[in-house]
Amino acid sequence: MTTNQLLEIKGLGQSIWMDNLSRDIVQSGELKDLVENKGICGITSNPAIFEKAIAGNAIYDADIESGIRAGLPTYKIYESLAFADIRNACDILRPVYDATKGLDGYVSIEVPPTIAHDTEATIKEARRYYKEVAKENLMIKIPGTEAGLPAVEQAIYEGISVNVTLLFSVQSYINTAWAYIRGLERRVAEGKDISKIASVASFFLSRIDTNIDGKIDAKLQKGVDDITVEAKLKAVKGKVAIANAKIAYQEYKKIINEERWKALAAKGAQVQRLLWASTSTKDPNYSDVMYVDELIGPDTVNTLPPVTIDACADHCNVENRVETGVEEAYQLIESLKDPDINIDINTVMDELLSEGIDKFIKPFESLMKSLETKVRQLSPV
């Protein structure tokens, strides 16, 4: 596997993080190799990833048994497993963190998805996770829900780096950016250092196209008499997520030109980078690297599952494209209002946020169940 494309992307100002964490890749040396030789400079996890890693994998059994001996409840056993993996990954990525002065080298862990709509519980868990993992290059993932954003602001104010997740609409990204700014401003007002705090805004992609393509396919299957209407519908397929992301990047540029931001930058604040998430292509008719190729550009992160990392290293077409076709992006989003297409993007974004939380809660609950089963199997009779 060549590394050229991944390293070329880095040269254009985009960091590639991996969306996958398990004890196997930590202990086998795979993560170290990805970091040292393949340009990976961060890693993210979520309940679905941990469920795959822990369920049915004997590598965790010894630690589960010591949790049982210590009389820990299942949830605390899960945390002990996850925190150990996170700490070890943080150590592997620490040289990147140091070399980039805290821009990269982060490992992200999600607060429990079951508290996505509870501000106080989110703040409390973010604080506890940060304290217990006790690694400078840890990022706490907080969902960009209405309840999540005050928690983001508070965590930033307390000096905790945050990965704001489950962002779908451009407005939700803008709200996230200002929550970050308010958190930093509160620190500055108290004379506290802001140069060691980082944040990314995780903007989801493939799920948007999957949702909208499904709506378009349903219209096409019903039958469209007019060839022009059919062409309009087909022209939108597979294009909305990238257009939406390009518009979000334009908003990012506006925000970093605001006086409020410039005042923080002068005191050493780091920009909150847009992170492209949900980047594995779901439709086999589309390029397997389209969510990478189309959104390469400065001050961004792309978090890729292992299969997309391999595909990208093999055949990404590396150019700075995040600011190409911007006018067309605005036109495409506007075209959704056309009566012939008639897709309400705000409704889609609301659906996706609620589904997104659900997609984290289900594997989290499933993980707890499979861990309970394993605890029963490993418990002395």
Side-chain angles (χ1 to χ4, degrees), residues 12-215:
L12 291 175
Q14 182 174 86
S15 298
I16 300 291
W17 292 5
M18 182 163 72
D19 194 22
N20 183 47
L21 178 60
S22 69
R23 191 157 293 187
D24 298 44
I25 67 161
V26 170
Q27 290 188 353
S28 66
E30 185 186 337
L31 180 58
K32 195 167 189 285
D33 177 57
L34 284 163
V35 170
E36 290 177 359
N37 303 313
K38 304 204 169 73
I40 299 302
C41 49
I43 193 161
T44 55
S45 67
N46 62 44
I49 287 170
F50 271 126
E51 185 202 16
K52 282 190 196 122
I54 296 172
N57 192 336
I59 201 168
Y60 291 95
D61 287 3
D63 281 359
I64 293 170
E65 284 170 343
S66 39
I68 294 165
R69 283 195 301 274
L72 296 179
T74 305
Y75 180 72
K76 285 292 177 191
I77 291 176
Y78 152 71
E79 276 193 354
S80 71
L81 305 177
F83 288 180
D85 287 356
I86 294 283
R87 284 188 201 103
N88 290 329
C90 281
D91 290 343
I92 292 167
L93 279 148
R94 182 66 199 229
V96 177
Y97 175 82
D98 291 336
T100 59
K101 298 185 168 56
L103 180 71
D104 279 312
Y106 289 94
V107 181
S108 294
I109 184 171
E110 190 116 16
V111 292
T114 46
I115 58 171
H117 298 297
D118 185 333
T119 304
E120 286 312 310
T122 300
I123 292 169
K124 199 173 155 192
E125 287 296 81
R127 203 179 272 147
R128 185 174 69 82
Y129 276 31
Y130 196 69
K131 193 176 172 188
E132 288 196 22
V133 173
K135 297 287 178 184
E136 260 184 88
N137 54 330
L138 175 75
M139 259 190 184
I140 304 293
K141 281 174 109 173
I142 297 175
T145 54
E146 207 175 320
L149 291 181
V152 170
E153 180 186 329
Q154 183 63 24
I156 294 296
Y157 162 69
E158 292 185 20
I160 297 168
S161 292
V162 178
N163 176 341
V164 190
T165 187
L166 289 177
L167 301 175
F168 295 95
S169 73
V170 172
Q171 189 57 52
S172 66
Y173 158 64
I174 295 168
N175 297 345
T176 293
W178 286 106
Y180 175 59
I181 287 169
R182 286 192 302 274
L184 293 175
E185 285 174 338
R186 284 170 58 197
R187 282 183 73 82
V188 167
E190 293 179 12
K192 292 175 177 165
D193 178 36
I194 55 170
S195 66
K196 306 259 184 334
I197 303 159
S199 181
V200 291
S202 291
F203 204 71
F204 280 55
L205 301 172
S206 65
R207 292 182 195 180
I208 294 173
D209 283 335
T210 301
N211 182 301
I212 287 177
D213 286 5
K215 288 177 166 57

Side-chain angles (χ1 to χ4, degrees), residues 146-308:
E146 207 175 320
L149 291 181
V152 170
E153 180 186 329
Q154 183 63 24
I156 294 296
Y157 162 69
E158 292 185 20
I160 297 168
S161 292
V162 178
N163 176 341
V164 190
T165 187
L166 289 177
L167 301 175
F168 295 95
S169 73
V170 172
Q171 189 57 52
S172 66
Y173 158 64
I174 295 168
N175 297 345
T176 293
W178 286 106
Y180 175 59
I181 287 169
R182 286 192 302 274
L184 293 175
E185 285 174 338
R186 284 170 58 197
R187 282 183 73 82
V188 167
E190 293 179 12
K192 292 175 177 165
D193 178 36
I194 55 170
S195 66
K196 306 259 184 334
I197 303 159
S199 181
V200 291
S202 291
F203 204 71
F204 280 55
L205 301 172
S206 65
R207 292 182 195 180
I208 294 173
D209 283 335
T210 301
N211 182 301
I212 287 177
D213 286 5
K215 288 177 166 57
I216 290 168
D217 287 340
K219 287 174 193 279
L220 290 168
Q221 275 156 18
K222 273 185 192 167
V224 178
D225 298 332
D226 188 334
I227 195 160
T228 317
V229 174
E230 187 180 343
K232 278 184 190 177
L233 287 164
K234 286 183 173 171
V236 170
K237 276 195 74 174
K239 302 264 173 59
V240 176
I242 286 165
N244 198 46
K246 287 187 175 190
I247 292 168
Y249 189 80
Q250 292 304 306
E251 291 299 329
Y252 158 77
K253 287 186 72 192
K254 286 180 200 167
I255 289 164
I256 60 168
N257 277 305
E258 295 269 358
E259 290 309 315
R260 278 173 70 184
W261 172 254
K262 287 178 180 173
L264 292 168
K267 293 191 182 297
Q270 296 195 43
V271 291
Q272 181 191 54
R273 292 179 293 172
L274 269 160
L275 177 151
W276 312 126
S278 175
T279 51
S280 60
T281 313
K282 305 297 186 282
D283 188 325
N285 296 311
Y286 301 153
S287 156
D288 57 356
V289 291
M290 77 176 196
Y291 297 118
V292 188
D293 280 354
E294 291 301 320
L295 294 169
I296 296 169
D299 297 331
T300 55
V301 178
N302 202 326
T303 178
L304 310 178
V307 64
T308 312

Side-chain angles (χ1 to χ4, degrees), residues 307-326:
V307 64
T308 312
I309 286 173
D310 290 345
C312 183
D314 181 59
H315 55 260
C316 259
N317 179 0
V318 180
E319 273 179 42
N320 183 341
R321 288 194 194 83
V322 77
E323 290 198 83
T324 59
V326 171

